[in-house]
Amino acid sequence: MHTPTTFIIFGVTGDLARRKLLPALFDLSRKNTLPRPFRLVGFARADHTHGQFQEFVRESLAEQYGKEDIAADCDEFLADARYQQGEFEDPASYEHLAELLIELDGHDSKECSNKLFYLAASPRFYKPIFQNLADSGLTIPCMEVKGQSAGISSGAGWPRLLVEKPFGKDLIASDELERMLALLFKDEQIFRIDHYLAKETVQNILAFRFSNILFEPLWSREFVERVEISLFEKIGIEGRGASYDGVGALRDVGQNHLLQMLSLVAMDDPKEMEAPFIRNARAAVLRALRPVSAEDVKDRVERGRYAEYVKEEGVSAASTTETSFRVIAYVDNERWRGVPLILESAKKHPEKKTEVTVYFKHTERCLCPPGAEHHHQNILTFRIQPDEAISVVFWAKKPGFATELEPKRLSFSYKESFEKERIPDAYERVLHDCIRGDQTLFASTDEVQAAWKFTMSVLEQWHTLPLVEYNRDI
Ligand code: BG6
């Protein structure tokens, strides 16, 4: 595919770029799935020459894969990598970046490349970055640019913008960002990232629901008792005290990752696999979430924090930030009215596990011996990570003369079933889809707004609740 593409990372020396983006790009390059020619451009505050930047990328990749593993492919990946030192708030830095990009386009192909701008910088710089990108003309497709120098022929040269979460820290801030984006960019240029949507096993929730007739007819309040959606991590805040404190678990993973999983579990059949249909169906669920009120906050919400949290670097001694929560959500529509969908997350949890579990209602009649417990409940679990799997608990008769039933599990494990296929990292998928221009696995304005509305209803009420301390061992 001959599509000159330039991938520009703002904040390229940060943690996200080092741990996720550079390895994901490198993997796509090794799989030959990147368009060609492909150029990486890093933008950050630190002073680097192009050569030092290439060395920085090489070291970041070696940390992930080991020196030997990257040796063969690294030179090719880095041959065209360039660096632009700059300040996010300084318009002149964007002029320099524009000059570098024009020069790169001119030198090689004499064609205008497609440009992807990835915001891996702190969210406090989002507004200045949006504004400066727009002011410098970097977001205008080449075909609309008149009189560009360097003898570049006009191609489509679309620019796209990849914006990491958090998308604002509350509804007001998020709406403000949206208004600004809407003024400066076209919707098809904006890719709001929630990397959970791009996880293979999260995508499989839809595939499973709408490609198997077995469960979809039961997928409603008539047959489902409750749904639990949980994201537990063994790790704490890992040195992110300064940015995590004042944000907390609900904003960090609830407003986005958990609500996106909820939307996939609860949405109606989108009928078409196209992005607008799927995004609208997800948004419809989020819009139907019943807000938490002053009257029901005590019954629907809990919050906690791990015991050592206030001793973490960057955390205020007077902090009231939560590192865990449990919220009972209700989707007020025909399909789900009255069914609790329980969202739960904790850092420093004894076990790392992300799961979606659907508990079906007990059988109405029990064909069991007199006096036996009425316990026939089927449970379907999507194990999102680790040990990705899907399993169903069903009841079977124990061999013997007595009629005794026992719960058994039917299960499918990714590792066993797809031995040869590696599950792609969510960031590979994010980058791949953005390059192709497919917005399906990215959040729309409507989704972000509806998710914030629900989250705000919790945040506005939960100061009345105690912040319960927990220990990992409990
Ligand atoms: C991020 C949060 O969005 O998701 C982190 O900011 C969290 O706090 C992470 O640890 C979890 O993602 P994953 O892919 O490791 O489950």
Side-chain angles (χ1 to χ4, degrees):
M1 179 173 42
H2 181 82
T3 318
T5 302
T6 311
F7 194 91
I8 303 109
I9 304 180
F10 288 103
V12 75
T13 48
D15 203 45
L16 176 70
R18 238 188 43 243
R19 286 193 309 110
K20 296 287 187 187
L21 305 182
L22 296 170
L25 280 175
F26 181 61
D27 262 342
L28 290 174
S29 167
R30 288 210 274 200
K31 285 186 200 142
N32 225 357
T33 38
L34 288 180
R36 304 281 174 197
F38 182 86
R39 284 184 218 100
L40 171 67
V41 173
F43 181 105
R45 274 175 163 175
D47 255 328
H48 283 315
T49 61
H50 298 313
Q52 284 167 334
F53 173 59
Q54 291 173 3
E55 217 27 57
F56 163 81
V57 179
R58 196 183 296 274
E59 278 166 21
S60 309
L61 297 176
E63 265 172 38
Q64 294 279 326
Y65 300 112
K67 269 198 174 113
E68 274 82 62
D69 193 32
I70 60 166
D73 309 297
C74 211
D75 289 344
E76 191 196 336
F77 178 62
L78 290 176
D80 287 331
R82 295 287 181 274
Y83 184 74
Q84 178 63 57
Q85 190 280 330
E87 299 284 338
F88 300 126
E89 290 168 296
D90 171 30
S93 299
Y94 295 77
E95 280 163 30
H96 299 146
L97 178 64
E99 282 160 21
L100 173 69
L101 298 183
I102 290 175
E103 185 191 317
L104 287 174
D105 280 351
H107 277 175
D108 283 337
S109 51
K110 302 258 180 235
E111 280 172 300
C112 178
S113 62
N114 294 332
K115 295 179 184 64
L116 282 86
F117 297 95
Y118 197 115
L119 273 70
S122 159
R124 76 195 151 96
F125 293 120
Y126 282 3
K127 280 201 208 160
I129 295 177
F130 295 159
Q131 192 63 54
N132 282 320
L133 273 176
D135 291 349
S136 63
L138 277 166
T139 50
I140 305 171
C142 303
M143 60 188 178
E144 290 175 18
V145 178
K146 304 245 160 58
Q148 251 184 6
S149 57
I152 301 162
S153 68
S154 61
W158 43 255
R160 289 183 185 148
L161 198 63
L162 286 121
V163 189
E164 260 295 336
K165 65 158 269 278
F167 206 75
K169 79 177 283 259
D170 53 29
L171 181 60
I172 294 177
S174 159
D175 281 351
E176 230 175 78
L177 283 179
E178 283 294 354
R179 269 196 301 278
M180 185 164 186
L181 281 175
L183 276 178
L184 303 174
F185 307 96
K186 295 190 180 128
D187 192 52
E188 63 267 25
Q189 289 181 285
I190 307 164
F191 290 73
R192 298 172 199 81
I193 299 168
D194 182 326
H195 77 282
Y196 262 68
L197 280 175
K199 282 187 191 276
E200 190 69 28
T201 41
V202 172
Q203 289 167 51
N204 198 37
I205 296 175
L206 277 201
F208 179 90
R209 283 189 53 199
F210 297 117
S211 316
N212 299 295
I213 195 158
L214 221 48
F215 291 97
E216 197 51 25
L218 309 180
W219 217 254
S220 69
R221 67 193 159 106
E222 202 180 335
F223 297 103
V224 174
E225 180 200 273
R226 69 180 194 280
V227 179
E228 290 179 0
I229 302 172
S230 50
L231 190 169
F232 295 128
E233 298 178 285
K234 275 186 163 177
I235 56 170
I237 53 167
E238 306 288 285
R240 291 161 62 204
S243 60
Y244 191 90
D245 202 33
V247 172
L250 188 64
R251 288 182 171 97
D252 187 41
V253 299
Q255 185 271 345
N256 33 66
H257 307 330
L258 285 169
L259 284 178
Q260 282 295 2
M261 287 193 276
L262 180 148
S263 71
L264 292 171
V265 173
M267 72 189 240
D268 286 335
D269 185 345
K271 306 283 191 235
E272 304 271 342
M273 281 307 282
E274 301 293 310
F277 293 88
I278 295 184
R279 295 169 104 199
N280 285 342
R282 290 196 309 246
V285 171
L286 297 173
R287 274 196 300 267
L289 285 168
R290 185 193 308 167
V292 167
S293 68
E295 288 71 46
D296 64 12
V297 64
K298 281 199 181 64
D299 300 327
R300 292 178 58 187
V301 182
E302 289 167 24
R303 62 179 185 147
R305 75 165 176 219
Y306 58 84
E308 326 82 270
Y309 176 71
V310 280
K311 294 194 199 119
E312 300 271 12
E313 204 184 320
V315 171
S316 136
S319 171
T320 55
T321 299
E322 81 289 352
T323 59
S324 76
F325 63 84
R326 183 172 192 274
V327 175
I328 303 179
Y330 294 97
V331 175
D332 280 339
N333 62 16
E334 247 339 273
R335 193 196 270 256
W336 293 112
R337 186 159 295 115
V339 178
L341 293 110
I342 302 160
L343 308 169
E344 250 186 309
S345 179
K347 291 214 179 264
K348 293 253 172 163
H349 190 267
E351 197 186 356
K352 173 177 170 64
K353 112 178 148 172
T354 303
E355 270 182 3
V356 175
T357 309
V358 182
Y359 293 85
F360 291 90
K361 288 188 173 166
H362 290 254
T363 48
E364 270 175 21
R365 285 187 333 108
C366 179
L367 275 187
C368 34
E373 223 181 295
H374 185 71
H375 51 194
H376 298 160
Q377 182 165 46
N378 295 119
I379 304 167
L380 168 66
T381 305
F382 297 92
R383 175 82 172 209
I384 306 297
Q385 64 185 26
D387 304 325
E388 293 79 357
I390 297 179
S391 67
V392 181
V393 170
F394 67 101
W395 291 82
K397 180 185 170 303
K398 241 172 119 175
F401 297 119
T403 308
E404 278 182 56
L405 300 187
E406 259 191 19
K408 293 289 166 199
R409 207 174 264 273
L410 279 172
S411 49
F412 144 71
S413 138
Y414 276 74
K415 221 178 266 161
E416 284 162 21
S417 307
F418 298 118
E419 270 172 50
K420 298 215 176 75
E421 292 89 344
R422 183 183 137 261
I423 297 182
D425 182 76
Y427 277 92
E428 274 179 57
R429 186 65 199 250
V430 162
L431 302 178
H432 175 266
D433 285 9
C434 177
I435 289 169
R436 287 171 54 230
D438 182 348
Q439 290 180 312
T440 311
L441 303 180
F442 296 85
S444 64
T445 309
D446 289 350
E447 288 172 86
V448 172
Q449 195 178 54
W452 266 125
K453 278 192 180 151
F454 177 70
T455 308
M456 292 313 294
S457 77
V458 181
L459 291 170
E460 280 159 8
Q461 302 301 338
W462 77 354
H463 57 273
T464 56
L465 303 179
L467 184 62
V468 180
E469 288 219 335
Y470 61 91
N471 284 309
R472 171 176 287 174
D473 305 332
I474 293 173

